[in-house]
Amino acid sequence: MSTLGESPAVLAKRKHVKNNIWCPRSKCCVQFNMELYYKFETVHRTGSFLERAALYSLSMLDDEQRAAGVITASLGNWGLALAYHGQRLNVPVTVVIPYTDKCKVILRYQNYGANIIQHGKDLSEAIRKAFIIKSERQNLTYINGYDHPHVIAASGSIALEILEQLPQTDVVLVPVGGGGLIAGIATVAKKLKPEIKIYGIEPKKCCSFFKAMENDNPFQTVVGATVAELLAVPKAGFNAFYTARSLIDKMVLVEDNWISRAILHLTEEEKMVTEGAGATALSAFFATPIILPELKGKTVVCVVSGGNTDYFTLCRNIERAKAIEGRLIKMRFTLSGNQLTEQRVKILRIIAKTSCNILQCRCEEALLEESFRKIYLTLICETASHEHACVVKRIMDSMFLDYKFSEDPYNPIQSCVCFPNPMLY
């Protein structure tokens, strides 16, 4: 037996956390031309699939390790899950997190009784700090939230449930950060159904696992700010990588714009609130042009890994997605002369006749312009569709000269400039 313990495939069969919440079928199967299902992991107490890993990892500790406590580093979900189950099982938990402005997350840690230490600007620096603390307190057990064998094994229970409830599954789409989730799912799924396909979907701005696949070894990569911030892992896990690399059929990199559109789709159509990381698997279907044509007619399961998002982030993603789809437009008019009120009324009446919803209306004075009577009128309007937005633009073009669209999405959706980069896989 290796020093890493038994393989995830063996461990996954012993004990798994059962989750009975299952979305039977997407409302937009016709849109995507496939049988599309979701495996929602947003309904756990702390809002993500990592509760499986936290409970299983803590249950595998002996009495001495439980009494001494555990330490980890986390971007959010893993630490919350470990703190929650640590409180339930009376295991002291210390979590090192990068500096964050999300005060509510810190409050949730504290409510679960965790000892919180903020250190560093990213996960790598938080991990280093956690190991320094562990070296000073040798009795602590460090549990890696995406690379420990027990974490990988517990993630495999998701595959057990998918194939138990939907044995005809052809493809599973999995969001990828450090790699623990896809390693567990791929190991179990391929064991139970060798012909099943496993696709890893990873944000382009933080693609450490994709880079590891390219170079056949995990290494430190630069991660950028992304909508899927909980997938921003600078270095893929070694156990996860070597477990999953031969089992993954395709890796796909996705843009943030696609992830925002997936969040909007899940909110509007499926009535589920998700975080950026949770919507990443689905985001591959919102790329333009279609990047996974081989999935047409297949039975596909998207793993929605978590739902921990704050109000501000959710609203920004929804607004961004609507702007990308041409459903949110911003117009700026320059008005001058002695009839400013009449000009504003004329503009608003025209907007009303186009059946737009005016969400914001703001007037700004031109302080240093030659003309004293000059103002800028900015309107943010909601339209019904991309085609509706194009109609509004044509009307405005024909009636006003001194105006502009601040963000112009009016290209055919099939070749939208919002998606200039080709898909990489």
Side-chain angles (χ1 to χ4, degrees):
M1 185 183 298
S2 71
T3 56
L4 293 176
E6 296 182 15
S7 70
V10 173
L11 292 171
K13 294 179 180 179
R14 291 185 175 177
K15 183 176 181 180
H16 66 275
V17 183
K18 184 77 171 180
N19 177 16
N20 292 318
I21 301 299
W22 174 261
C23 180
R25 192 169 184 264
S26 170
K27 297 178 182 177
C28 293
C29 291
V30 175
Q31 175 186 340
F32 297 122
N33 196 19
M34 65 185 67
E35 287 291 315
L36 180 62
Y37 296 77
Y38 301 109
K39 189 67 174 79
F40 283 120
E41 291 293 310
T42 60
V43 294
H44 297 282
R45 178 74 176 187
T46 60
S48 82
F49 77 98
L50 284 163
E51 277 200 32
R52 301 168 180 266
L55 178 57
Y56 187 59
S57 299
L58 292 174
S59 68
M60 296 297 287
L61 299 175
D62 59 34
D63 292 340
E64 184 178 344
Q65 290 173 320
R66 290 192 186 193
V70 299
I71 186 170
T72 192
S74 172
L75 291 172
N77 285 349
W78 164 242
L80 285 173
L82 197 66
Y84 171 66
H85 284 290
Q87 186 181 60
R88 289 183 61 240
L89 299 175
N90 199 29
V91 178
V93 174
T94 299
V95 183
V96 183
I97 61 174
Y99 283 105
T100 176
D101 57 356
K102 295 185 177 180
C103 300
K104 189 173 181 180
V105 174
I106 298 174
L107 179 62
R108 289 184 68 190
Y109 279 120
Q110 294 170 342
N111 288 341
Y112 294 142
N115 175 31
I116 301 302
I117 298 171
Q118 288 187 274
H119 180 84
K121 65 181 185 297
D122 59 23
L123 184 61
S124 292
E125 294 185 8
I127 290 174
R128 283 194 289 271
K129 179 64 174 179
F131 274 102
I132 290 173
I133 296 172
K134 182 184 176 348
S135 67
E136 296 168 351
R137 298 171 57 188
Q138 294 290 335
N139 57 342
L140 285 177
T141 300
Y142 180 82
I143 305 178
N144 188 304
Y146 56 87
D147 201 38
H148 194 283
H150 296 161
V151 170
I152 296 172
S155 299
S157 63
I158 296 175
L160 287 175
E161 293 174 13
I162 289 174
L163 292 177
E164 176 185 285
Q165 299 173 47
L166 200 69
Q168 69 270 32
T169 301
D170 297 311
V171 185
V172 181
L173 272 58
V174 186
V176 179
L181 177 60
I182 196 169
I185 289 176
T187 300
V188 176
K190 292 282 188 178
K191 179 69 175 179
L192 298 178
K193 188 177 181 180
E195 68 273 19
I196 199 171
K197 301 293 184 184
I198 304 296
Y199 283 19
I201 317 297
E202 189 170 24
K204 189 175 181 180
K205 291 183 179 178
C206 50
C207 53
S208 61
F209 202 93
F210 180 87
K211 295 292 186 182
M213 294 283 284
E214 277 190 326
N215 293 272
D216 201 34
N217 194 54
F219 67 97
Q220 193 77 13
T221 59
V222 177
V223 296
T226 175
V227 171
E229 57 188 352
L230 297 180
L231 299 181
V233 178
K235 187 175 184 179
F238 281 89
N239 295 333
F241 173 74
Y242 287 109
T243 299
R245 64 173 177 173
S246 63
L247 303 174
I248 297 174
D249 296 282
K250 180 179 284 190
M251 286 292 299
V252 179
L253 297 186
V254 293
E255 301 280 359
D256 273 6
N257 286 341
W258 309 353
I259 300 173
S260 292
R261 292 186 69 195
I263 291 172
L264 176 63
H265 172 86
L266 287 166
T267 303
E268 286 189 326
E269 301 297 334
E270 313 299 345
K271 315 307 177 190
M272 292 296 294
V273 174
T274 58
E275 63 199 26
T280 295
L282 180 64
S283 69
F285 295 123
F286 289 93
T288 303
I290 301 302
I291 60 175
L292 298 175
E294 73 273 19
L295 299 188
K296 290 183 178 180
K298 303 288 187 181
T299 299
V300 180
V301 174
C302 279
V303 178
V304 181
S305 57
N308 286 320
T309 186
D310 60 87
Y311 173 80
F312 175 77
T313 303
L314 179 63
C315 290
R316 283 290 293 124
N317 275 302
I318 289 174
E319 290 177 350
R320 178 176 181 168
K322 284 187 174 182
I324 292 167
E325 296 179 357
R327 294 165 53 193
L328 200 66
I329 57 178
K330 186 176 181 180
M331 296 174 282
R332 184 179 172 91
F333 299 83
T334 303
L335 310 180
S336 60
N338 296 322
Q339 296 181 321
L340 296 179
T341 300
E342 289 80 358
Q343 293 177 58
R344 279 180 284 183
V345 170
K346 178 183 177 182
I347 291 170
L348 295 177
R349 281 178 175 171
I350 293 172
I351 293 292
K353 288 181 180 180
T354 64
S355 300
C356 287
N357 291 328
I358 299 176
L359 302 181
Q360 291 185 30
C361 178
R362 184 174 68 250
C363 288
E364 299 175 86
E365 295 181 353
L367 298 178
L368 299 178
E369 298 285 349
E370 290 185 8
S371 174
F372 180 75
R373 297 189 63 80
K374 190 176 198 178
I375 64 171
Y376 298 108
L377 176 66
T378 303
L379 298 175
I380 297 179
C381 301
E382 183 182 38
T383 62
S385 64
H386 181 272
E387 292 74 16
H388 185 194
C390 291
V391 171
V392 174
K393 185 175 190 297
R394 285 196 295 269
I395 292 173
M396 294 300 162
D397 286 343
S398 66
M399 301 194 69
F400 299 99
L401 295 176
D402 204 357
Y403 95 103
K404 67 176 181 178
F405 277 74
S406 299
E407 298 175 13
D408 192 347
Y410 303 103
N411 289 288
I413 198 69
Q414 289 78 14
S415 58
C416 181
V417 292
C418 298
F419 309 108
N421 299 315
M423 188 275 296
L424 303 174
Y425 66 88

